Amino acid sequence: KRAMTYGKRAEDSEGAASPVEDFDWITNNLDMSISCAQNLEEEMARLLTLKSYLILDAKREQKFERITALAGRIFDVPIALVSLVDLGRQWFMSNRGLGGRETPRSLAFCAHAIMSTQDLLVVPNASLDPRFMN
């Protein structure tokens, strides 16, 4: 029986290491010093909750467009997003300064934020952070 918590390698019930499959929801470059292990049951519960809101792939709404516009002005940043992390993708309810409505989950800052043990994910310089620099 395979362990349901995933990282670089999983162990079967006999303790032998076996490679972890390439799942869309697995974030392979987590900083484990500030992240919890990824757990299939918790991820399924999170995704079911997200799906229950019935907002994925919805049309743009002015209230969210106002939030991203305001955030961009307040923080003086070129990109502001309201994003939701789905299975395999990060979907944008609203975005300013970034083309498209989604990115692969593997590229998402938010995929790291939902696995963080910290209250706030701070990335001072993404171009120097090994999780995001490529």
Side-chain angles (χ1 to χ4, degrees), residues 1-121:
K1 193 170 185 179
R2 176 170 234 148
M4 297 306 280
T5 300
Y6 295 89
K8 291 186 181 198
R9 296 183 72 76
E11 293 184 7
D12 62 21
S13 60
E14 286 78 40
S18 58
V20 173
E21 293 89 351
D22 185 23
F23 292 109
D24 283 347
W25 64 274
I26 296 291
T27 305
N28 292 315
N29 60 345
L30 287 174
D31 178 350
M32 292 311 293
S33 69
I34 60 166
S35 301
C36 56
Q38 293 174 284
N39 178 284
L40 182 59
E41 287 83 10
E42 290 173 6
E43 179 64 7
M44 291 303 298
R46 190 191 68 76
L47 288 169
L48 286 172
T49 301
L50 174 61
K51 302 278 186 195
S52 75
Y53 298 142
L54 302 173
I55 55 177
L56 290 172
D57 299 309
K59 294 179 181 178
R60 293 188 186 274
E61 293 184 37
Q62 274 307 116
K63 58 188 164 191
F64 293 107
E65 296 301 312
R66 286 192 298 272
I67 291 170
T68 53
L70 181 61
R73 283 193 306 273
I74 289 172
F75 297 107
D76 191 28
V77 293
I79 298 173
L81 309 165
V82 174
S83 63
L84 302 169
V85 179
D86 193 9
L87 183 65
R89 69 180 178 150
Q90 172 180 237
W91 180 75
F92 306 124
M93 288 212 50
S94 176
N95 60 333
R96 296 285 173 136
L98 187 65
R101 298 269 333 250
E102 66 183 60
T103 60
R105 182 173 172 158
S106 61
L107 303 177
F109 281 67
C110 294
H112 292 267
I114 62 175
M115 299 308 301
S116 178
T117 58
Q118 308 297 305
D119 291 334
L120 181 65
L121 176 68

Side-chain angles (χ1 to χ4, degrees), residues 34 109 112 120-133:
I34 60 166
F109 281 67
H112 292 267
L120 181 65
L121 176 68
V122 177
V123 181
N125 187 335
S127 66
L128 299 176
D129 190 307
R131 296 170 295 176
F132 308 110
M133 60 197 293

